[in-house]
Amino acid sequence: MSTKFILLASGISLALLAGCTQNIRPTDADRAIIGAAGGYTVQTVRGKSGGDRLKGAAIGAVGGALCDDVRLCQ
């Protein structure tokens, strides 16, 4: 499977997942959990090992928690 396809599929999946939170007013913690799950999943699909998966989860958590501060997910 090509890297472009994996990244595209991951991006679409994360956008759909973020859309599920529109009517519930998620907190920063909720968005961080969703971001961490997304980051971990992307690294798993890419075939990375444990340490890389945790890095992906950390990056996803920070992105999820801060996305409303930069007006990406309001």
Side-chain angles (χ1 to χ4, degrees), residues 4-73:
K4 279 186 176 182
F5 176 75
I6 291 171
L7 293 176
L8 178 64
S10 299
I12 291 171
S13 299
L14 291 175
L16 292 173
L17 181 61
C20 294
T21 64
Q22 292 300 317
N23 294 328
I24 63 169
R25 300 294 226 177
T27 63
D28 284 342
D30 295 333
R31 287 187 296 272
I33 291 168
I34 293 169
Y40 188 88
T41 302
V42 167
Q43 291 297 73
T44 301
V45 169
R46 292 183 63 211
K48 299 298 181 177
S49 64
D52 290 331
R53 290 178 185 174
L54 293 178
K55 288 178 190 174
I59 292 169
V62 170
L66 297 177
C67 73
D68 68 322
D69 296 333
V70 293
R71 301 187 186 275
L72 286 177
C73 56

